[in-house]
Amino acid sequence: MGQRFEGAVCLVTGGGGGIGSGTARLLAAEGAHVIIADLSQDRAQQVAGEIREMGFQASPHAVDVTSQESVDRLLDDSWRDVGPVNLAVTCAGIIKIQPFLDLPAADWDRTLAVNLKGTFLVIQGVARRLVQAGRKGRMVAVSSVAGRGARADVADYAASKAGVISIVRSSAMALAEHGMAVNAVCPGVVATEMTYAIQRMRSQDTGENPEEMLTRSVTGIPLGRIETPEDVAKAIAFLLSEDAGYVTGQALNVDGGLEFD
Ligand SMILES: NC(=O)c1ccc[n+]([C@@H]2O[C@H](COP(=O)([O-])OP(=O)(O)OC[C@H]3O[C@@H](n4cnc5c(N)ncnc54)[C@H](O)[C@@H]3O)[C@@H](O)[C@H]2O)c1
């Protein structure tokens, strides 16, 4: 495996989850010291431990991305203990299935706080420190194909992910003069706990078997299989690498052909 990220320090929020841990493993295998930051300290420690057992570099850190104080602590601790965080991937996210007419305002606030405000706080926090230190960096936010269109039973989630694409564009524009690039990936249906939880929630409403629902949703994917965390990780790694040195402010669908815009 090449070493595209030798000497880099990469923060991965939601690093204890499916896409975050898959991304962290790939970046660590290519030389980065990865900071696994998650609301679940246990999951962060477990993933960091697995990466270190593979002979690569990783540190766990608890964070709540909805809190400015928590994000600042994460970034300050990481700079002090590991070094300048010059790469970041924002994977922390939540979803809850509920019909539009029943969506409580409190759930709207929570989804927007984790998925959108959390993305903003991390991008801004990483960028502020890099600008202050006169250093460059690259960031990738995990949006979703849901942010491209309409979703009747996850309206809050779809809005948050559309917002992620917007903050990626605005921050890319603001940070270009400082030598920073910010891009997004939009995954489709990825084999992670989030997807399995969605199937369970939908099956409670319809009475359908969750596995059968998943199989049916896979038949709608043009490339004909469910997406793996590694599929997403490879696209993120490309956008973090110098191979994407002239790419900024973009949202790349990584979805097996589910959406064409
Ligand atoms: N699974 C999919 O099909 C899919 C598709 C498109 C986009 N996405 C997005 O990819 C990202 C990762 O999803 P995943 O499938 O790996 O889900 P996951 O549930 O496996 O991982 C999400 C992680 O985020 C963490 N998290 C939740 N709230 C947090 C907070 N306040 N602060 C810090 N960490 C927090 C969770 O503890 C969890 O480890 C999410 O943003 C999700 O919306 C997932």
Side-chain angles (χ1 to χ4, degrees), residues 32 112 241:
L112 272 284
S241 77

Side-chain angles (χ1 to χ4, degrees), residues 14 16-20 38-40 63-66 91-94 110 114 142-144 157 161 187-190 192-195:
I19 294 173
D38 204 286
L39 190 62
S40 163
V63 71
D64 178 355
V65 296
T66 68
C91 277
I94 56 170
R110 180 69 193 158
V114 177
V142 179
S143 176
S144 166
Y157 180 81
K161 293 300 185 177
V189 183
V190 191
T192 70
E193 179 47 35
M194 180 178 279
T195 294

